[in-house]
């Protein structure tokens, strides 16, 4: 959500949860909604949609009692349903004989698109103030399925991030989260729903 | 554009409108024997997505009833272009012949 404040082309919210299953393994999930407008050199489009990711994290950091810091490696299975709106584009022309044609205003909308992918996540979360965590992660994504709009493409997928030629993608996330204790036991398990972005 | 001693030329079509009118001047460097004809090409345009980096390109389809209109200069000097033949009306690549001009 923080990105919504400084980037006028991005509006998004993500709910993150993880549930500790064993000493080092967490079940993890993210649910989010995004509305992004990308203004590239030759075209501008808006992607809107929702995504869900489920998976696990392995925490390799040794926490003392009551600490919940993490350095983790995880995997996710992600899915998204979304729409693309082609706002405008420029016409490609190898000849410079005529002046460049004016930008074409389109507004064409493609609905009902879906994608599914696998992610590998590397990240860390540290408690900086009481119950407030700062997190940073790198994600490597691999597209499994992707319905492409006709005469356009999915240049951005909510939850997956920017797409590239081929099926791989990479993303960087930072998060500010707070810990809501649901219940406390002497040992596992613990559940913490958090809000981020 | 000037072409010397060649039988194949490439000319662009306007991507912002459905017609392009060119003036073809033969022997343009010699005022005594030059001759100007006009050829207007009529077509329909279709934009095709290429990639994120390139954006969209334009394919042209020459009009089936009136693909070209040949006209004279305001002071007529006779046509140097005798015949115009459309070999391919779908213009999608620069690597094939679309129009042949006989003179």
């Amino acid at each position: 959500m923080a990105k919504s404040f400084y980037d006028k082309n991005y509006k998004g919210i993500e709910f993150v949860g993880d549930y500790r299953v064993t000493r080092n393994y967490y079940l993890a999930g993210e649910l989010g909604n995004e509305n992004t407008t990308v203004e590239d050199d030759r075209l501008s489009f808006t992607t809107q949609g929702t995504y869900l990711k489920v998976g696990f994290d392995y925490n390799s950091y040794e926490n003392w009692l009551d600490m919940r810091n993490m350095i983790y490696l995880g995997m996710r299975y992600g899915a998204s349903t979304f729409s693309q709106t082609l706002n405008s584009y420029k016409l490609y022309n190898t000849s410079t004989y005529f002046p460049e044609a004016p930008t074409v205003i389109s507004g064409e909308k493609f609905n009902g698109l879906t994608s599914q992918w696998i992610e590998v996540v590397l990240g860390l979360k540290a408690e900086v103030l009481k119950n407030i965590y700062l997190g940073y992660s790198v994600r490597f994504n691999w597209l499994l399925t992707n319905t492409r709009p006709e005469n356009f493409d999915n240049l951005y997928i909510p939850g997956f991030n920017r797409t590239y030629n081929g099926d791989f993608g990479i993303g960087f996330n930072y998060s500010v989260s707070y810990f809501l204790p649901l219940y406390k036991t002497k040992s596992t398990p613990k559940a913490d729903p958090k809000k981020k972005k | 554009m000037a072409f010397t001693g060649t039988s194949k030329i490439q000319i662009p079509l306007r991507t912002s409108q459905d017609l392009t009118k060119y003036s073809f001047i033969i022997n343009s460097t010699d005022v005594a024997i030059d001759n100007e004809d006009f050829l207007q090409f009529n077509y329909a345009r279709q934009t095709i997505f290429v990639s994120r980096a390139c954006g969209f390109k334009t394919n042209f389809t020459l009009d089936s009833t009136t693909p070209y209109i040949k006209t004279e200069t305001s002071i007529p000097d006779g046509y140097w272009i005798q015949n115009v033949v459309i070999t391919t009306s779908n213009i999608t690549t620069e690597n094939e012949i679309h129009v042949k001009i006989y003179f």
Side-chain angles (χ1 to χ4, degrees):
Chain A
M1 254 181 89
K3 193 170 176 195
S4 306
F5 295 120
Y6 70 78
D7 187 348
K8 64 169 170 49
N9 284 334
Y10 180 89
K11 285 191 272 285
I13 184 167
E14 183 177 275
F15 293 96
V16 179
D18 53 41
Y19 185 88
R20 192 160 171 188
V21 184
T22 69
R23 193 165 131 89
N24 286 323
Y25 280 92
Y26 293 72
L27 269 182
E30 286 109 22
L31 174 67
N33 184 278
E34 284 186 336
N35 181 326
T36 308
T37 299
V38 177
E39 278 156 12
D40 256 356
D41 192 45
R42 305 215 59 87
L43 42 86
S44 161
F45 64 93
T46 300
T47 308
Q48 288 171 270
T50 317
Y51 60 91
L52 173 67
K53 300 190 241 192
V54 291
F56 68 89
D57 285 336
Y58 171 77
N59 183 17
S60 62
Y61 183 76
E62 279 294 325
N63 275 309
W64 296 352
L65 181 67
D66 279 352
M67 279 177 71
R68 280 165 295 273
N69 298 328
M70 287 176 81
I71 296 174
Y72 61 93
L73 178 67
M75 282 188 66
R76 301 279 188 280
Y77 190 87
S80 174
T81 74
F82 53 97
S83 73
Q84 302 279 5
T85 307
L86 175 59
N87 298 323
S88 64
Y89 58 90
K90 291 191 189 161
L91 291 171
Y92 186 69
N93 202 336
T94 51
S95 161
T96 54
Y97 187 71
F98 295 115
E100 174 149 28
T103 304
V104 179
I105 310 293
S106 170
E108 186 172 2
K109 190 156 187 198
F110 308 91
N111 284 320
L113 304 167
T114 61
S115 287
Q116 290 175 38
W117 66 91
I118 291 192
E119 279 185 16
V120 173
V121 185
L122 218 60
L124 50 91
K125 275 184 218 168
E127 189 167 20
V128 291
L129 297 170
K130 183 153 165 73
N131 284 349
I132 309 259
Y133 290 78
L134 227 52
Y136 189 76
S137 65
V138 177
R139 295 162 179 270
F140 303 95
N141 313 323
W142 182 34
L143 266 178
L144 296 174
T145 72
N146 188 11
T147 57
R148 293 196 151 89
E150 176 133 356
N151 202 24
F152 193 35
D153 201 353
N154 291 325
L155 300 178
Y156 185 95
I157 298 171
F160 183 92
N161 230 294
R162 202 203 122 120
T163 59
Y164 296 84
N165 287 340
D167 296 329
F168 291 91
I170 186 169
F172 300 92
N173 293 78
Y174 62 89
S175 65
V176 179
S177 47
Y178 54 92
F179 172 68
L180 276 180
L182 289 188
Y183 58 91
K184 190 164 172 166
T185 58
K186 200 148 191 326
S187 55
T188 60
K190 277 183 247 186
D192 5 327
K194 298 172 230 179
K195 263 196 204 146
K196 83 169 178 192
K197 273 203 174 161
Chain B
M1 292 178 275
F3 302 98
T4 308
T6 174
S7 61
K8 285 191 186 150
I9 63 173
Q10 285 190 347
I11 52 174
L13 295 177
R14 280 189 177 272
T15 53
S16 53
Q17 53 189 57
D18 286 337
L19 63 94
T20 310
K21 186 170 180 180
Y22 274 104
S23 128
F24 288 85
I25 307 172
I26 195 169
N27 297 323
S28 58
T29 48
D30 189 342
V31 182
I33 53 168
D34 67 358
N35 186 318
E36 181 174 10
D37 294 350
F38 295 101
L39 266 187
Q40 172 176 311
F41 296 98
N42 303 313
Y43 45 85
R45 291 165 291 147
Q46 196 190 9
T47 51
I48 313 278
F49 179 72
V50 177
S51 67
R52 174 190 227 112
C54 297
F56 286 75
K57 67 173 182 182
T58 313
N59 280 353
F60 306 91
T61 307
L62 290 171
D63 189 65
S64 46
T65 38
T66 330
Y68 69 92
I69 301 172
K70 186 174 73 168
T71 48
E72 257 287 26
T73 46
S74 44
I75 302 169
D77 50 1
Y79 285 115
W80 69 269
I81 295 175
Q82 299 304 307
N83 205 3
V84 179
V85 174
I86 310 293
T87 50
T88 316
S89 58
N90 283 333
I91 302 172
T92 57
T93 164
E94 293 170 4
N95 298 328
E96 52 186 21
I97 298 172
H98 304 109
V99 177
K100 288 187 180 173
I101 296 177
Y102 293 92
F103 60 99

